[in-house]
Amino acid sequence: MNTPLVLNEDRLFPTEPGERAIARELYNSVYNLPIISPHGHTDPSWFSGNANFSNPTELLVRPDHYVFRMLYSQGVDLAELGIGRAGKAVDPREAWRLFASHYYLFRATPSRTWLDYVFKNVFALDVVLSDKTSDLYYDTILECLAQDSFKPRQLFDRFNIELLATTESPLDSLEHHRTIAESEWGGRVITAFRPDNVVDPEHAGFNDNIDQLESLTGESVSSYSGYLNSLRVRREFFKQHGATSSDHGHPTPATADLSEQEAAALYAKVRSGDFSAAEAELFRAQMLTEMAKMSIDDGLVMQIHPGSFRNHNQSVYENFGRDKGADIPVKAEFVNNLRPLLSTLGNHKNLEIILFTLDETNYAREIAPLVGHYPSLKAGPAWWFHDSPEGMKRFREQMTETAGFYNTVGFNDDTRAFLSIPARHDVARRCDCAFLAGLVKTGRLSLQDAHEAAVDLTYNLAKKAYHL
């Protein structure tokens, strides 16, 4: 027999009846608030062209590294899923069957929670995905995707998304954002400035990318000052297309405060191609400080996402490309690494930095005390591997006593999988309400305060932090 697909209405709430009742009351007050998605990696072309999604595999498997990294860990060949540049031409139905036959792997993971939400609430499926129900799922979803009501813009509106931010390179034309802005559709899709490929000397194509900056901006990149000017021009271009934030995926949160002469000499060194790993790290560190200076001038909020060893699997990187599920967390240190930037700029009233970490040992020891002191700092939500019910709980438990709620920025889904957005926000709302219910039950928070905090964590903090 097929297993019924049932979503427990009290999922993720506490088990103690009184505390659960409070969590349910809080959740019922915020579950239908509009979604603010201020940081993510969905494809803006979906919303500019508004073409029907082609099939379930293209929509739900191939963009989602949470999904295919789990399959890969159990021996599934990414090429069999048609993923990446090495992905061979495969029948999407066969790829879906491969996914369905391995769906049991996702038991007790956030991906299972998100996907079941999508299957039940978006496609009205009522049995669990498995090898036996694979074709039923594929045919049902395929039939839905052919309908106008399942086009990207229509789903955006159906999901009650008030704003969605994508993330683009400084070299991007932003043509899709321009098309969206010029359309009659009222959905708000903005970009975010992600300069990693032009500030990291170890990024593939670094020198060629900087040369493209010169072509795009007309600013000579032969000098350090001209290079910085070219970045300023592109930041302004992004602002004109709706950007309110920049995003920095550096390996570490190292910052530097070099003199103009020292920085110019280092720039010449990394442009020559003859540099050490330490010099590359120093250049990235200096560029975080330079980006902070630019943020003070132009108002873009900085997001710093360090502590990820990206593309750890060299073979996958070479054969399938970047960002194919092989990011691995590493230790991160913030107190000393951020001090050069903070000593120079940390007290400036116009600087706003959101810190993320994959190293949970930093929460109580470093992140909470830092954001609980510097007015320029806020803590981003639990990220990547910790974007989960238990991860969110650990984040709130370790951050709140020192930093409070108002030195955090609410939730962002950071996803490439469009249909998972409402599911992820639902999990965050349930987890925050469960945490607040515990505070109410133990007498540390009044029910009125909890109701106000629930709205702030769900909606207000993200709007404020990202200038939305």
Side-chain angles (χ1 to χ4, degrees):
M1 292 180 62
N2 295 328
T3 303
L5 176 56
V6 178
L7 301 182
N8 188 315
E9 291 184 1
D10 287 330
R11 61 192 180 278
L12 306 179
F13 291 163
T15 57
E16 194 278 320
E19 194 171 335
R20 171 171 284 194
I22 297 170
R24 188 186 303 123
E25 176 183 338
L26 295 171
Y27 172 75
N28 286 338
S29 71
V30 300
Y31 81 94
N32 62 350
L33 286 176
I35 289 174
I36 302 292
S37 179
H39 172 69
H41 301 275
T42 51
D43 188 340
S45 69
W46 294 338
F47 309 105
S48 64
N50 200 36
N52 291 86
F53 292 109
S54 57
N55 61 68
T57 302
E58 288 293 340
L59 178 60
L60 294 165
V61 177
R62 289 176 182 160
D64 195 341
H65 54 189
Y66 286 83
V67 169
F68 59 72
R69 76 183 311 273
M70 176 65 82
L71 300 180
Y72 183 79
S73 77
Q74 289 288 306
V76 175
D77 187 346
L78 295 182
E80 295 297 323
L81 299 171
I83 288 171
R85 55 177 174 249
K88 59 185 180 182
V90 299
D91 180 349
R93 184 183 290 272
E94 290 302 319
W96 182 265
R97 286 172 176 161
L98 187 60
F99 165 53
S101 69
H102 290 85
Y103 195 57
Y104 68 91
L105 297 175
F106 297 94
R107 290 169 179 160
T109 68
S111 292
R112 175 65 181 265
T113 302
W114 301 329
L115 285 165
D116 280 354
Y117 180 103
V118 171
F119 296 149
K120 183 75 171 180
N121 291 332
V122 179
F123 297 110
L125 288 152
D126 58 7
V127 294
V128 171
L129 178 64
S130 67
D131 53 350
K132 296 177 181 178
T133 62
S134 175
D135 285 340
L136 168 67
Y137 262 70
Y138 193 90
D139 292 336
T140 300
I141 296 173
L142 190 66
E143 182 179 351
C144 288
L145 295 182
Q147 300 171 23
D148 287 346
S149 59
F150 283 82
K151 287 184 175 182
R153 293 181 182 181
Q154 283 68 24
L155 286 173
F156 185 105
D157 295 336
R158 173 179 167 186
F159 294 160
N160 196 23
I161 298 175
E162 182 175 311
L163 176 134
L164 175 67
T166 65
T167 307
E168 276 75 45
S169 149
L171 307 179
D172 196 286
S173 69
L174 303 185
E175 60 182 301
H176 298 299
H177 290 87
R178 186 163 53 253
T179 298
I180 294 167
E182 293 172 352
S183 73
E184 296 181 355
W185 178 52
R188 189 176 176 197
V189 180
I190 64 174
T191 185
F193 182 77
R194 178 74 173 244
D196 296 359
N197 62 349
V198 293
V199 300
D200 182 357
E202 294 179 316
H203 197 288
F206 171 71
N207 268 326
D208 290 340
N209 293 338
I210 292 180
D211 289 340
Q212 287 188 54
L213 278 180
E214 182 172 275
S215 298
L216 288 169
T217 65
E219 297 284 343
S220 172
V221 296
S222 61
S223 68
Y224 184 59
S225 60
Y227 163 66
L228 294 182
N229 283 337
S230 71
L231 290 169
R232 292 187 184 98
V233 170
R234 292 308 286 174
R235 288 170 66 99
E236 180 58 31
F237 178 74
F238 271 63
K239 284 188 64 179
Q240 292 169 3
H241 288 77
T244 67
S245 67
S246 64
D247 184 34
H248 308 270
H250 290 209
T252 77
T255 64
D257 185 23
L258 302 178
S259 69
E260 186 176 342
Q261 293 76 17
E262 290 170 326
L266 181 60
Y267 173 70
K269 190 79 185 295
V270 298
R271 283 283 275 162
S272 75
D274 181 19
F275 58 86
S276 66
E279 288 168 327
E281 174 73 343
L282 182 59
F283 186 77
R284 289 190 294 264
Q286 179 63 24
M287 288 311 299
L288 274 184
T289 303
E290 298 289 3
M291 292 289 107
K293 293 176 183 176
M294 294 182 195
S295 288
I296 289 172
D297 292 336
D298 64 24
L300 291 185
V301 177
M302 287 186 72
Q303 301 172 95
I304 303 179
H305 282 85
S308 179
F309 192 126
R310 299 178 187 274
N311 309 303
H312 188 273
N313 189 325
Q314 186 66 23
S315 175
V316 167
Y317 171 70
E318 291 174 354
N319 290 290
F320 295 93
R322 301 179 62 85
D323 303 321
K324 294 299 179 287
D327 291 0
I328 306 296
V330 295
K331 292 180 181 178
E333 193 281 334
F334 288 82
V335 174
N336 293 299
N337 272 327
L338 288 178
R339 195 158 191 264
L341 186 157
L342 294 175
S343 294
T344 306
L345 306 169
N347 300 298
H348 199 290
K349 64 180 180 179
N350 292 336
L351 179 61
E352 296 172 272
I353 300 174
I354 301 172
L355 300 177
F356 294 79
T357 184
L358 289 180
D359 183 354
E360 290 184 306
T361 66
N362 282 319
Y363 286 161
R365 187 184 66 245
E366 298 181 40
I367 301 292
L370 281 166
V371 304
H373 171 73
Y374 283 95
S376 58
L377 298 180
K378 293 288 185 291
W383 167 49
W384 215 145
F385 297 94
H386 312 308
D387 178 13
S388 64
E390 295 302 324
M392 293 174 187
K393 180 180 178 181
R394 291 190 296 269
F395 176 84
R396 292 292 177 207
E397 288 176 340
Q398 295 183 53
M399 292 288 297
T400 304
E401 288 186 329
T402 299
F405 294 126
Y406 296 90
N407 284 310
T408 66
V409 300
F411 177 69
N412 66 58
D413 49 77
D414 192 23
T415 186
R416 292 175 170 83
F418 174 44
L419 265 61
S420 76
I421 289 176
R424 291 168 187 252
H425 283 261
D426 185 69
V427 167
R429 294 174 188 196
R430 289 175 177 273
C431 290
D432 281 338
C433 290
F435 181 74
L436 291 168
L439 298 181
V440 173
K441 190 67 174 176
T442 54
R444 288 176 287 172
L445 200 65
S446 72
L447 184 58
Q448 178 62 35
D449 280 345
H451 272 285
E452 293 178 7
V455 174
D456 290 335
L457 295 175
T458 298
Y459 184 76
N460 292 329
L461 290 181
K463 289 197 74 168
K464 181 178 180 182
Y466 286 89
H467 300 176
L468 302 174

